[in-house]
Amino acid sequence: MRRDKVVATAAEALADVHDGASFAVGGFGLSGIPNVLIQALYDSGATGLGVVSNNCGVDGGGLGVLLAAGRIARVTASYIGDNKEFARQYLAGELEVELTPQGSLAERLRAGGSGIPAFYTPAGVGTPVAEGGLPLRHNPDGSIAVASPPKEVREFDGRPYVLEHGIRTDFALVRAAKGDRHGNLVFNKSSRNFNPLAAMAGRVTVAEVEELTELDPEEVHLPGVFVQRVVVLTPEQAADKGIERRTISAPPAQRTITE
C-alpha cells in the first residue's frame, strides 16, 4: 500500500518549520503560488527564512506578505519585478539577494532534485553572473557590502560555459490543480511554471491541491516520490486567486484601426 500523505491543515503540514529554514516556492508572479501554505508559514512566526523562487511575490501578495513582515533574510530569484518593498529592502541592505538567469534558476532546482550537484551552462558567460561582482547585499548608503564571487568557466567544443550549482532546500511549497493521496500532482496551464521544479528541490515538499482525486498515471505532471505532504484546499481557498496586473480592452465597436 502506498502511503497516504494527506495532512488535515496547512498549519499541521508546516508544524516542523524552524527559524532560518530554506524554502523553494512555486509560482510566477501570482500565477500558481501556494497562497494557503504561505499564509500558514506567516502564521507560524518563523523568521530568518531563505527563499528560492522565480520572484518574491508582489506588494501584499504571495511571498510579499512574508517579505513585508521582515521574515525573509535571503532570496534567490530571477527578477525583482514590481515588488517595491523587495527593491527597497534589497537596496537598503536589509535583504540578501542572489539574482540568477531564469533558465539557470529553473535548472538549478531541477538538478538539485535529481541529485545533480552542478552543471555547466552558457547562460551568463561574459557577464557579472559568471565574472562576479553582482551585489548580494548593499550597505545602507547603497554601496555594495557583499558581492557575488566569480564562478568557474570551462570550454566545451570551443564554447565557454559557466558552472552553476544545484539547489536543495529544507522545504518546498507548491500549488497544484489536482492531486491524489499519494502526492502525485497535476498543474493547470501556466501554474506549471516553477511548481514542479520547486517541488523537486525540497527535502520536505508540501503541496496544496485544489482537488483531491484519483489520477490516471498518464496525466501526472509530478510523481508523488517528490511530495511528502498534501493539503486539500476548500472550494473558497481554491477559488481565491489574485491577478497581478488587470488589463481591460475596449469593446470591438470602440476600437479604431491605425496604420
Side-chain angles (χ1 to χ4, degrees):
M1 293 291 292
R2 291 177 293 175
R3 184 163 62 92
D4 189 332
K5 300 178 181 179
V6 174
V7 179
T9 66
E12 182 181 340
L14 298 180
D16 53 347
V17 165
H18 53 85
D19 290 349
S22 59
F23 289 81
V25 183
F28 189 107
L30 291 181
S31 174
I33 60 173
N35 277 320
V36 174
L37 291 172
I38 290 173
Q39 183 60 47
L41 180 55
Y42 174 86
D43 293 339
S44 75
T47 190
L49 305 175
V51 170
V52 182
S53 188
N54 179 63
N55 60 297
C56 205
V58 301
D59 291 303
L63 288 168
V65 174
L66 289 165
L67 190 70
R71 304 282 187 81
I72 299 176
R74 191 179 195 278
V75 177
T76 299
S78 70
Y79 83 116
I80 292 177
D82 292 333
N83 193 322
K84 295 181 176 61
E85 179 60 15
F86 188 2
R88 187 201 68 77
Q89 290 189 24
Y90 177 42
L91 295 175
E94 300 172 11
L95 182 69
E96 186 169 304
V97 177
E98 178 190 8
L99 291 173
T100 187
Q102 193 169 89
S104 298
L105 178 61
E107 182 62 9
R108 289 179 68 190
L109 290 165
R110 190 199 70 81
S114 301
I116 300 170
F119 59 92
Y120 287 95
T121 173
V125 170
T127 75
V129 170
E131 297 169 358
L134 287 173
L136 297 177
R137 181 181 290 277
H138 291 89
N139 290 309
D141 63 3
S143 60
I144 298 177
V146 181
S148 64
K151 298 175 181 176
E152 178 185 336
V153 176
R154 287 185 61 184
E155 190 174 290
F156 296 91
D157 297 324
R159 185 177 182 183
Y161 292 78
V162 60
L163 183 70
E164 294 283 3
H165 289 84
I167 293 175
R168 290 286 278 163
T169 56
D170 298 321
F171 296 88
L173 308 180
V174 300
R175 181 172 182 136
K178 295 189 292 184
D180 64 18
R181 292 186 171 276
H182 314 298
N184 300 299
L185 303 179
V186 174
F187 303 97
N188 184 38
K189 298 176 181 175
S190 60
S191 294
R192 191 179 173 184
N193 39 48
F194 276 85
N195 273 300
L197 305 171
M200 293 176 68
R203 294 181 177 87
V204 175
T205 293
V206 187
E208 59 180 60
V209 301
E210 298 173 13
E211 178 186 358
L212 186 69
T213 185
E214 293 295 322
L215 295 175
D216 184 324
E218 294 298 323
E219 66 177 324
V220 171
H221 293 151
L222 183 80
V225 67
F226 292 110
V227 179
Q228 283 69 50
R229 301 166 191 170
V230 174
V231 176
V232 184
L233 303 182
T234 66
E236 293 75 21
Q237 290 172 330
D240 184 17
K241 300 177 182 178
I243 298 176
E244 186 170 358
R245 183 173 297 177
R246 188 183 299 275
T247 58
I248 301 175
S249 300
Q254 297 180 18
R255 298 176 186 170
T256 58
I257 299 177
T258 59
E259 296 183 359

